[in-house]
Amino acid sequence: MNMRLSEMQTQRVQDHTGASVVPDDNPSMPLLKQNFGDHTFFLDNEGLHVWEAVDDDPSDGAKLVGVRIASWSEGEEKALVPHDPAPSHVLEAPDAES
């Protein structure tokens, strides 16, 4: 499933995880989209993630699940190693978050 997050969803992910968005003008973006689809990509200390709405309605308030698609090699944040998608985080709908 390809999914670009809205600005509100992107901000929610950043606020709750501390992850940074990979900007659209990043030189790696064409290769990321070719290999993983058109997503909003995030980097954090665990690696590269995409986020998807769990609910059928991908509104700003939907429950989101993060999926790590690449991890940092040997614990260093210098090179990413792609792997099978692995669930990483869940953000409940805003009214369910405390």
Side-chain angles (χ1 to χ4, degrees):
M1 175 182 194
N2 294 340
M3 182 176 177
R4 305 248 339 140
L5 298 183
S6 70
E7 286 185 39
M8 184 178 287
Q9 289 170 324
T10 298
Q11 192 62 51
R12 242 175 86 204
V13 170
Q14 290 178 305
D15 290 347
H16 285 84
T17 68
S20 300
V21 173
V22 177
D24 285 334
D25 62 354
N26 184 295
S28 63
M29 192 57 81
L31 189 55
L32 289 174
K33 287 181 180 181
Q34 177 183 338
N35 287 312
F36 300 109
D38 189 17
H39 290 276
T40 305
F41 294 93
F42 293 84
L43 281 173
D44 67 11
N45 60 351
E46 295 177 357
L48 181 67
H49 303 259
V50 295
W51 287 80
E52 297 177 352
V54 175
D55 304 324
D56 290 335
D57 174 19
S59 67
D60 286 339
K63 179 178 179 178
L64 301 171
V65 64
V67 179
R68 187 171 46 252
I69 55 177
S71 296
W72 295 110
S73 66
E74 301 179 22
E76 296 183 23
E77 295 183 14
K78 294 182 181 179
L80 287 165
V81 178
H83 52 71
D84 289 338
S88 60
H89 303 283
V90 174
L91 292 180
E92 296 296 333
D95 58 350
E97 294 174 352
S98 48

